[in-house]
Amino acid sequence: MCDGRQTLSMARAAQELELRTGEFELATQLGEVRTVPAAPDRRPGSAGPPARHRVPAAEVARLQAEPGFPETLRARLRAVTTNEAAALMGIGPGRALRLTRAGCVGPVRFYVNRFGAVVWLYLASEITEFADREPELLQGNTPVAMRVMLTSGQDWRARQWRSRRVAQLMGRTDDPWQSAAVIAAVLPPEELASVAEDPLERALLRRLRPVLASMITATPAARESFERVLTAEEFDEVLWYRVNLSRALETARREDPGRVRPSATVRAGRPPTRGTVPANSPTWGPDPRSLSVRA
């Protein structure tokens, strides 16, 4: 009998839930399967990597007791390609591609094939919800604002995936330094260095850096495309993460000041760099979690 404290390894939980590795990974990312840190009582102030997670036995039992298990769980985790999404919406692949590039539906996963092409995957449930919510975008002329956006070459798929992944990881930790490390993970190195000027802080953020995605294909072209997806590029997105990293670092320094020994430059009272944002400054730039396209 489960006493409420028993936990299973991720591999065992996936087996019990009859999910393939990719399905189970997605389930934990989406919160369909709740996890807990494997070592929640780790010594405060530890600078090591985030603790691995396990699955409460009660969580597995809850999901197994759902009507229609495991098909209902798999249905919630079903991820589809752009062509499959087009079929679900009853439109052509070209129009589906334009809608996803314009940010109407954000990808939930991706992989890179051996030729270095990024293949985006979307939750089938989100595709059908969008089709029901925005039927006018499935037929007729493309709205002017969307045409201008697409003509200029904008593509919101990667930034939407980054936004979703950052939100998922931020929701899994209460540790202020780990939260900062999540945001730092999507910034280019030079941008990170200009916000986290102290090399000891940057070293800590690197040690705490979470795994954003795993890669199977390892050709040079695939590696380059993979790294490009993980890193913010456009000015407004980079600025968004810079501002939020600066705030996260201020919180971490205030709540856990002993985690990092300040460098000599910081102890000497060196003035803040251009990347430092006062705690009471408003966040500037688009919120990547609130994307919609309207005519």
Side-chain angles (χ1 to χ4, degrees), residues 12-86:
R12 175 65 185 277
Q15 182 181 11
E16 292 289 330
L17 293 173
E18 302 181 38
L19 297 176
R20 294 187 293 270
T21 300
E23 290 175 325
F24 182 76
E25 182 182 56
L26 181 58
T28 60
Q29 292 175 358
L30 295 175
E32 289 286 349
V33 176
R34 184 176 63 88
T35 64
V36 295
D41 58 345
R42 194 176 48 165
R43 180 175 58 85
S46 169
R52 294 185 179 183
H53 282 65
R54 293 175 65 86
V55 180
E59 178 74 353
V60 172
R62 179 186 68 83
L63 291 166
Q64 289 175 330
E66 286 185 347
F69 172 86
E71 285 74 18
T72 51
L73 176 59
R74 285 178 177 159
R76 297 198 297 272
L77 301 172
R78 183 189 172 198
V80 297
T81 63
T82 303
N83 286 350
E84 291 170 329

Side-chain angles (χ1 to χ4, degrees), residues 179-216:
S179 295
V182 170
I183 303 172
V186 298
L187 278 173
E190 65 277 8
E191 297 289 347
L192 171 59
S194 72
V195 178
E197 189 178 34
D198 189 324
L200 295 179
E201 287 188 348
R202 292 200 303 276
L204 175 59
L205 294 176
R206 284 194 297 271
R207 288 196 299 273
L208 296 177
R209 179 189 173 99
V211 176
L212 297 175
S214 55
M215 183 178 180
I216 299 176

Side-chain angles (χ1 to χ4, degrees), residues 88-89 105 124-138:
L88 284 175
M89 293 185 286
V105 183
S125 59
E126 292 185 356
I127 291 292
T128 54
E129 287 170 7
F130 166 75
D132 292 340
R133 186 177 66 250
E134 305 280 5
E136 69 279 2
L137 292 179
L138 305 184

